[in-house]
Amino acid sequence: QVQLVESGGGLVQAGGSLRLSCAASGGTFSNYAMGWFRQAPGKEREFVAAISRSGRSSRYADSVKGRFTISRDNAKKTVYLQMSSLKPEETAIYYCAADLLIGEAVSLRGSSYNYWGQGTQVTVSS
């Protein structure tokens, strides 16, 4: 029912910044916690960041704390991931996901998320 479309990926030099967007359609966007995950070649999908329904609570993987910022605009039905000080090892396909949770809860587990976007490629060159 919920469709998610990521955009904003591309090639960036190490130390650079990139802003990803995820536009949602269907359902009621404000009812969903939103998350970002990434999967590098040969590696399992990993949690990056998540934000609660209202946008007042967020969680980050330890590896990205202080460098990445997740935000959302419920009026625009869009969630963002601002990434700075990017590292080559963060080259991956980045996925947006939606999770129907209660209140301000967020989940770090991919299995908790009900809907997924197609992903957007982020390549960080050294």
Side-chain angles (χ1 to χ4, degrees), residues 67-86:
R67 298 187 297 114
F68 289 14
T69 301
I70 188 170
S71 61
R72 68 190 294 163
D73 185 335
N74 284 350
K76 295 182 178 179
K77 302 178 71 174
T78 302
V79 64
Y80 306 93
L81 184 67
Q82 178 66 50
M83 306 182 292
S84 62
S85 301
L86 281 161

Side-chain angles (χ1 to χ4, degrees), residues 6 17 21 29 68 71 89 92-94 99 103 105 108-110 112-113 116:
E6 301 97 332
S17 299
S21 298
F29 182 71
F68 289 14
S71 61
E89 58 264 38
I93 300 174
Y94 284 68
D99 189 6
L108 280 61
R109 303 190 340 271
S112 294
Y113 290 80
W116 294 81

Side-chain angles (χ1 to χ4, degrees), residues 5-77:
V5 180
E6 301 97 332
S7 62
L11 176 64
V12 63
Q13 291 184 334
S17 299
L18 207 60
R19 190 195 197 198
L20 306 182
S21 298
C22 175
S25 61
T28 302
F29 182 71
S30 60
N31 284 347
Y32 291 86
M34 302 296 296
W36 286 97
F37 295 77
R38 64 190 178 192
Q39 187 168 22
K43 300 186 69 176
E44 295 186 355
R45 180 184 62 198
E46 66 173 345
F47 169 78
V48 176
I51 190 165
S52 64
R53 297 190 300 175
S54 70
R56 295 172 182 168
S57 181
S58 60
R59 299 288 185 273
Y60 298 91
D62 289 342
S63 61
V64 307
K65 286 181 179 177
R67 298 187 297 114
F68 289 14
T69 301
I70 188 170
S71 61
R72 68 190 294 163
D73 185 335
N74 284 350
K76 295 182 178 179
K77 302 178 71 174

